[in-house]
Amino acid sequence: MNKNQKFLIGSIGALLTGIAIGLLVAPKNGKETRKLIKNKANDLGGNAKDKYEKSLEELSHLADKLKDGFLKNVSSAKEKANGVAENVSEKARGVVNNNA
């Protein structure tokens, strides 16, 4: 885990802790507080799910780009190898024909 990930996890933990403490010491009755906590938890869960899905989309897009780039490089290398093979073949034929 790099520094940014650790910082993000720590920040989220501190935020959740602050929210929980704020809700627990709030001057509302227990039923209202529990409802508020439930709503906040659902909101956080929904946000986390949205971010997860967005990250998956971005990773899929990046994987597609990497695949396309890899296939282009393989195709280019194959073309160059075929060109070299043809060149070597022509030179070999020339040597064989000159020696015959």
Side-chain angles (χ1 to χ4, degrees):
M1 228 184 251
N2 66 29
K3 289 181 183 180
N4 291 337
Q5 290 171 327
K6 289 180 183 179
F7 177 77
L8 181 62
I9 290 171
S11 296
I12 291 171
L15 174 68
L16 293 175
T17 302
I19 290 171
I21 291 171
L23 291 172
L24 293 174
V25 297
K28 295 182 180 182
N29 67 30
K31 186 176 182 178
E32 290 176 0
T33 302
R34 285 189 299 275
K35 184 176 180 181
L36 186 59
I37 290 171
K38 180 181 175 186
N39 290 339
K40 293 291 182 181
N42 287 337
D43 289 345
L44 288 173
N47 289 340
K49 182 179 177 185
D50 291 343
K51 289 186 186 283
Y52 172 76
E53 289 172 356
K54 183 179 177 184
S55 296
L56 285 180
E57 286 178 23
E58 289 176 2
L59 285 173
S60 177
H61 180 69
L62 287 173
D64 289 342
K65 284 177 111 177
L66 286 171
K67 180 182 173 185
D68 290 344
F70 176 77
L71 291 176
K72 284 180 185 176
N73 286 337
V74 167
S75 177
S76 176
K78 186 176 179 181
E79 289 174 9
K80 288 179 183 178
N82 285 337
V84 169
E86 287 177 19
N87 191 13
V88 168
S89 178
E90 288 176 12
K91 287 185 180 182
R93 281 187 207 126
V95 169
V96 169
N97 289 338
N98 286 339
N99 288 335

